[in-house]
Structures are given as structure tokens and as C-alpha cells.
Amino acid sequence: MLADRGELDRIIADQLERRWASMDRILLRQAFRAEDCAAVACVDRLAEAATPSAEMREGSRRAGRALLGVWVKLDGPLSVAYRGLVSSDGRLGHLAVVQAVVGRDAGLSQDAAELVSGWTLVTGLVSAAVRLGIIGHIEAQRSQEIARALLAELLAEAPPADALPASFTPFIDIAVSRGPLRHVRMFTT
């Protein structure tokens, strides 16, 4: 669906502006400020409800649970405690929420956790484009440079404290929803 770096850069910008900044970042901030695991779980359930695509929900939980599993092995106290709730409820473990949990265990500030979250999105998209042969390594660096500037711009403006998570990325949502119709998949998300 992507033929060149220009299209990749548009997808990255779309994901950063219309998904990450307005949804994942909001969820991460709420989970980061949560007082206990029960409050984190409330944010996680909000992530579940706010993600209409079953494939996107599943991918988010799979990525989040994998990250949480690493931090459980590293004995992150909040990660260990939260893993108990995640293990008992199949709706929990969304990536943005888990990024907040492990960010707290790592001793990151909320700002640093947001930066890591946004940059993880960028590098994931760019590395997928490289693996698929859409762009080379030099073009990847150029895409990351453009994305870095946009991410810095988005991070410079904090969302309102009462912001609700919302996203509007129809191109990606439709593409992901068509995934189960294919007989073969290159990536799990």
C-alpha cells in the first residue's frame, strides 16, 4: 500500500497526529498519573473501549503484554503488581498503558515516557518499511528526521488534563481490518 518514502512520511505524520497524540498519549498520561493498579486498569479498559478495531485492540494488547512481561522479569514493582490484573482480565494490557507502567518502573518522568512512546511508534513504522523494501537505510534516516521534528512539535504542547482519547486514522484502520481477509500475513500487527 506504500510505494515510497513520501507516502511513508504521510502515514507516520497521520499516526503521530491523529492516533498517538490524541489517543495513545492521552492514555499514557492518564495511566502515568494513576494512583494504583486499579486506576491503571480503568485507563486500560478505556483503551479497550476507545479502540473500535478488533485487530488494533489485539495488536495493542499483544505488544503491551510482551513489554510488561520483560519488565516483570526485570522485577519492576508496578509491572509485577499490574501483571496480576492483566493475567486475570483479557481486556487489559494495552501498549500505551503498559508504557506508562514500565516508564514509572524505569524512573522516567512523564515527559520522557511520552517521548519514548512516540519514538517507538516512529521507529516501528520506519523499520517495517525497511524490512518490506519500501525504503533503504538512508531514506529511513530522512523519514526519522522529519518525524523527530513533528514529534517534538507535538510534545511541546501538552494536552488538556481532561482530554479524552480519540483517534481518526481511517486509512490504517481499514487496512488493518482487511488483514484477517488475507491468507498470509508478514507481521502480526
Side-chain angles (χ1 to χ4, degrees):
M1 295 172 80
L2 299 178
D4 59 29
R5 198 188 105 220
E7 291 176 3
L8 173 64
D9 291 346
R10 282 190 293 279
I11 290 294
I12 292 170
D14 194 45
Q15 286 294 292
L16 279 173
E17 293 173 325
R18 295 179 174 200
R19 168 71 194 199
W20 180 82
S22 61
M23 174 105 169
D24 296 340
R25 183 182 186 194
I26 303 301
L27 293 166
L28 183 147
R29 291 171 71 85
Q30 289 179 6
F32 202 92
R33 293 189 307 258
E35 292 187 20
D36 56 26
C37 286
V40 172
C42 286
V43 177
D44 219 344
R45 287 185 190 94
L46 178 58
E48 178 80 3
T51 308
S53 164
E55 293 79 17
M56 293 292 278
R57 285 192 307 271
E58 182 183 326
S60 175
R61 286 191 307 264
R62 188 173 33 251
R65 286 170 177 236
L67 178 60
L68 187 61
V70 169
W71 278 86
V72 166
K73 289 177 184 172
L74 293 172
D75 293 322
L78 185 57
S79 297
V80 169
Y82 195 58
R83 177 69 175 265
L85 285 176
V86 169
S87 296
S88 67
D89 188 337
R91 299 168 296 170
L92 302 179
H94 285 276
L95 181 59
V97 174
V98 171
Q99 287 173 329
V101 169
V102 303
R104 287 170 62 177
D105 274 345
L108 298 179
S109 67
Q110 180 179 287
D111 291 344
E114 288 179 57
L115 175 60
V116 169
S117 173
W119 192 245
T120 298
L121 171 67
V122 170
T123 58
L125 292 170
V126 170
S127 66
V130 169
R131 289 191 313 268
L132 289 170
I134 295 167
I135 61 171
H137 294 286
I138 300 302
E139 289 176 304
Q141 292 303 313
R142 290 188 176 124
S143 285
Q144 287 180 330
E145 184 179 349
I146 291 168
R148 192 171 27 253
L150 176 56
L151 181 59
E153 209 177 285
L154 293 169
L155 289 169
E157 188 174 325
D162 62 348
L164 295 174
S167 73
F168 184 72
T169 55
F171 178 76
I172 293 294
D173 294 342
I174 291 168
V176 169
S177 294
R178 289 181 176 169
L181 301 175
R182 294 187 202 118
H183 66 287
V184 67
R185 297 174 90 174
M186 296 185 97
F187 304 108
T188 59
T189 57

